Amino acid sequence: MVYEELAGEEDEVELPRGDVTERVVRVGSTVRRPVHPPSAAVADYLKHLEEVGFGGAPRFLGRDRAGRDVLDFLAGEVAGDPPQAWAADDELLASVGRLLRQLHDASEGYAADRGFAAPPGSRWFRWPSPSSSESSAVVAEPAPELVAHNDVTPQNVVVRDGQAVALIDFDMAGPTARVEDVVNTATHWVPLRAPVDTWPGWSRTRQPVRLRLFADAYGLTAAQRASLVDVALARADRMWLSMRGAAEHYGGGWAQMWHDGVGDLIRRRRAWLVDRSDDLRGALE
């Protein structure tokens, strides 16, 4: 699918780089991104979301003359890295929970109809295992229920008038379970992390209250609430190994994050989850 350039779409404006994705630019009303192995699967997923009426994701418009993916540019405010204090607003957190639920509901049809299959010659993002013997300790992922974003960080949410309205950067989209994606999103937005790693202007004590707010906004069932803390603990174990594996096998930004101490951050998060587990479970009851 070739994108037909429009008049005036010549000037490129570099957009903030992510941890692992570079050379993303805005051209007029579009965003241009380098093609990578999951691109075809992501494009197929974005087309599905458009077809079912989910308005919280960019449309895939094709490939430009330079071979880059072309997507809609979604206007709004996006948090920086580290995210500013305004991103810690409770109403914004609730709106993220509602947007995530809308995405998951829109994605179930894709999962049921397509069986998580990526188009021929493409694949979803996958976490590699580390080369060491520690890889044998990887905790099994929950059985997939749908395809989802899998990286709903403050830097990947478009905000307008204090409300989350859209998600961007679907590079890590793929099969997952609802609670798994809920936990991943809450990790960044509640946030579920040790006080020493919590960003300036973000609460270091109200996490149980904010987790309840997020769970209520998403509409978690009683069973999902009961499993959430255990899922978070298992995910912390798995993510330490996954991030180490990505650093070893993918290099680049993944290796830089590992060098900068993301493995230690994950271990501090797990210790904090154990320490606050009763408070977190109680808030979800």
Side-chain angles (χ1 to χ4, degrees):
M1 179 178 176
V2 178
Y3 175 73
E4 295 185 8
E5 303 286 344
L6 303 178
E9 289 192 339
E10 294 89 14
D11 295 335
E12 297 189 358
V13 179
E14 187 174 356
L15 296 174
R17 70 181 300 277
D19 290 321
V20 296
T21 304
E22 301 178 352
R23 304 188 309 279
V24 179
V25 299
R26 178 181 178 182
V27 182
S29 61
T30 68
V31 172
R32 313 295 173 94
R33 301 176 58 88
V35 170
H36 57 113
S39 288
V42 170
D44 194 54
Y45 180 41
L46 292 177
K47 290 174 188 175
H48 164 79
L49 294 177
E50 181 183 3
E51 289 169 359
V52 299
F54 177 75
R59 291 181 302 153
F60 176 75
L61 303 177
R63 296 266 174 86
D64 67 7
R65 288 190 295 267
R68 299 173 297 188
D69 287 335
V70 183
L71 308 168
D72 278 333
F73 174 78
L74 302 179
E77 196 167 9
V78 177
D81 186 12
Q84 300 90 331
W86 62 259
D89 180 74
D90 283 357
E91 286 300 317
L92 176 56
L93 173 68
S95 72
V96 172
R98 292 190 292 269
L99 181 63
L100 187 69
R101 177 59 184 264
Q102 292 164 13
L103 173 72
H104 287 177
D105 289 349
S107 300
E108 277 193 329
Y110 181 90
D113 295 341
R114 305 301 297 272
F116 307 121
S122 66
R123 63 178 184 271
W124 298 112
F125 173 83
R126 284 288 183 265
W127 290 106
S129 297
S131 301
S132 72
S133 59
E134 290 173 307
S135 62
S136 63
V138 172
V139 180
E141 294 185 33
E145 302 168 335
L146 42 71
V147 170
H149 186 282
N150 293 329
D151 194 28
V152 184
T153 67
Q155 295 79 21
N156 289 337
V157 174
V158 178
V159 178
R160 299 183 197 132
D161 299 323
Q163 298 290 300
V165 297
L167 305 172
I168 57 176
D169 192 354
F170 279 73
D171 287 358
M172 295 177 67
T176 190
R178 280 183 180 257
V179 177
E180 183 79 8
D181 204 30
V182 166
V183 164
N184 187 40
T185 304
T187 295
H188 299 287
W189 281 94
V190 171
L192 301 178
R193 54 172 51 204
V196 68
D197 298 313
T198 303
W199 310 293
W202 288 64
S203 172
R204 290 169 168 78
T205 60
R206 296 183 63 246
Q207 281 89 340
V209 174
R210 283 175 58 82
L211 183 60
R212 173 62 178 264
L213 175 65
F214 182 73
D216 288 349
Y218 179 90
L220 287 179
T221 66
Q224 290 168 335
R225 288 168 184 264
S227 70
L228 193 147
V229 173
D230 289 335
V231 171
L233 288 167
R235 181 176 176 80
D237 291 332
R238 193 170 63 251
M239 287 307 300
W240 188 92
L241 291 163
S242 295
M243 290 296 294
R244 179 171 173 175
E248 292 177 359
H249 294 280
Y250 296 155
W254 299 106
Q256 186 62 51
M257 283 190 284
W258 189 261
H259 178 269
D260 291 342
V262 69
D264 294 334
L265 184 150
I266 293 170
R267 283 182 161 163
R268 289 192 296 271
R269 174 188 301 147
R270 191 189 192 286
W272 177 86
L273 285 167
V274 171
D275 184 59
R276 297 298 304 275
S277 61
D278 288 346
D279 294 333
L280 296 171
R281 293 182 202 277
L284 291 168
E285 292 178 351

